[in-house]
Amino acid sequence: MRNLRKPKQLSQKESNQNEEKQSTPVQDKLEKNIEILKQQFDKCVDVKFRPLMVGNQRAFIIFIDGLIDTVSIELHALHQLLSEASTEELTVEYLEQHIVSVNQVVESDELESLINHILDGKTVLLVNQLTKALVLDAKGGVRRSVTEPETEATVRGPREGFTENIGINTALIRQKLRSTNLKTISKEIGTETKTTVMILYLENLASPQLVKEVQDRLDRIKIDGVLESGYIEELIEDSPYSFFPQIQNTERPDTVVGNLLEGRVSILVNGTPFALILPANFWQFIQASEDYYQRYHIAIFLRILRVSLLFLALLLPAFYIAVTTYHQEMIPTNLLFSIASSREAIPFPAFVEAMIMESAFEALREAGIRLPKVIGQAVSILGALVIGQAAVEAGIVSAPMVIIVSLTGIASFTIPRFNMAISIRLLRFPMMVLAGLFGLFGIVLGSIILLTHLCSLRSFGVPFFGPLGPLKWSELKDVFVRVPWWEMNNRPEEMANEDLTREGDHLKPSPETN
């Protein structure tokens, strides 16, 4: 397992030394350039140096095998270069305009820049007696095709999801958001991986202060490598010690576009299909993209159901522990007799019983995720049934506790965002501890602490629990319920720059009059 190191902050002296480093220019002698490049790529057998003759001059094409489109290079570069028989003096401009027909060609006169281009999957052309090189952008290699997101399945809505290629991901967003106001800022993070990170926002909607803050936080990251957007999320969020995620991640381009239209900012990371959306609030994590594609009646029902089940996922085991341990008078007589009879032979108190079952349920859920998909789901379901039944028959746990744990697990599955669902699952255990120690008073105490913490969190300066804390009545149209589209005519004030109006007048449909 790879050990993660804390991002190293460069001192002012080191930063000045890095800035003072002078780059090595491309020389007019081909052998010296190739010698330097071969030293840099020593013991890199996948880096290919292809010699050739261009007219009467020697040349080299350098690329990484597997990262380029070999057919494009052969048709649009090698074929023309090898067939060039002009007796005219070769220049970079002549090669670019008359010989090489690759779509994207740039010039470079620094060897360090050429090395970065080669590592980025581009092809470099060096010709003897020329002090500039041509960089041919013909990336290729194995790429995963656009498929339906596996973590955010919907009944109604677009079926396309992000891939690991950042170019494809930006294209998917451009297809849905055909506006010149969509701006992209590219950065390179990671001293070893040199991962491309891209900031996307709508210039006419996003706050300039928010865009600048995002850039500043990304610029402060000094780390050896970034392999997934989770690295970026953890390094730029406001409260990294909080249980709650303060940045939303998604595989769906439509979710990114919808949030960009509200004035938010998105971050794409090359090598992962998960995009980041910020700032985020608590209510975004219990909302699904499908809420905006179904009729508003259905969306209202589903959101109320999710909020109710979120409370069950967090508090149901704790409530059962508190009531059966300290507040038996709250239970109806017949139900109390049933619970007492089922717990008569159980050797553990309700708290220990709940901890055993919850831990076993979480272990089964984790096992189901890690196992191959063909057998993972079957093992988790059969394991839960077999272990639950065996535990009841063995007298380790009671039947009501199995029901409580099952209902809690089902409730946690209804939370659309995995990172919020797992946070609720983790917080369930401290709530159980408080209930076992203090009863209902412990649940109330834990809820107050949790609510206070939620109200104190901020995501890039925006209140995390807003618009409920602080309360903004005008923005409650898209929190617990989703009002009809003709009623959601304003963007969130905390995100949008100045253009708060998102709809025209007379959008509400009216029945035809005869």
Side-chain angles (χ1 to χ4, degrees), residues 296 300 473-478 481-491 500 502-504 506-509:
Y296 67 94
I300 291 174
W473 290 101
S474 60
E475 296 185 12
L476 292 179
K477 298 177 181 180
D478 192 23
V481 298
R482 198 274 283 175
V483 298
W485 273 111
W486 59 82
E487 293 291 342
M488 291 195 296
N489 48 13
N490 289 327
R491 297 183 175 89
L500 298 178
R502 65 186 306 168
E503 297 177 358
H506 309 296
L507 189 64
K508 181 178 180 180

Side-chain angles (χ1 to χ4, degrees), residues 309-318 408 411 423-429 431-432 447 450:
L309 292 175
L310 183 143
F311 282 105
L312 284 182
L314 178 64
L315 300 176
L316 184 59
T408 305
S423 298
I424 297 298
R425 284 158 49 188
L426 289 174
L427 290 169
R428 182 191 307 156
F429 290 95
M431 296 299 290
M432 290 164 56
S447 300
L450 201 59

Side-chain angles (χ1 to χ4, degrees), residues 129-278:
Q129 295 186 355
L130 298 184
T131 57
K132 287 185 179 181
L134 288 182
V135 179
L136 317 179
D137 191 354
K139 294 183 181 180
V142 179
R143 296 181 180 179
R144 183 170 66 91
S145 60
V146 177
T147 57
E148 183 177 358
E150 295 186 4
T151 60
E152 299 176 69
T154 60
V155 177
R156 181 176 180 178
R159 301 294 183 184
E160 57 191 10
F162 288 131
T163 70
E164 286 74 16
N165 186 276
I166 195 171
I168 295 176
N169 296 342
T170 53
L172 290 172
I173 295 175
R174 285 283 183 187
Q175 286 178 351
K176 296 181 181 296
L177 201 55
R178 302 177 183 180
S179 171
T180 56
N181 289 314
L182 177 59
K183 306 301 180 182
T184 58
I185 301 174
S186 180
K187 294 183 179 294
E188 195 175 81
I189 300 179
T191 55
E192 300 296 332
T193 61
K194 295 180 173 62
T195 307
T196 302
V197 177
M198 194 169 292
I199 304 171
L200 287 81
Y201 65 97
L202 284 170
E203 190 176 33
N204 60 326
L205 297 181
S207 168
Q209 292 80 10
L210 173 61
V211 177
K212 185 178 184 304
E213 179 66 20
V214 174
Q215 293 187 68
D216 292 342
R217 294 194 189 187
L218 290 177
D219 290 337
R220 288 198 295 267
I221 297 176
K222 307 297 179 184
I223 194 172
D224 57 350
V226 173
L227 303 180
E228 215 276 335
S229 57
Y231 287 54
I232 302 296
E233 178 181 356
E234 192 170 337
L235 291 170
I236 66 174
E237 63 184 354
D238 291 61
S239 302
Y241 296 106
S242 173
F243 273 97
F244 294 98
Q246 299 126 59
I247 298 176
Q248 181 183 350
N249 64 74
T250 180
E251 283 187 272
R252 300 182 63 91
D254 57 315
T255 301
V256 171
V257 171
N259 283 276
L260 291 177
L261 291 171
E262 290 187 349
R264 292 185 173 89
V265 175
S266 178
I267 297 177
L268 300 181
V269 179
N270 194 36
T272 174
F274 288 92
L276 303 180
I277 299 172
L278 50 94

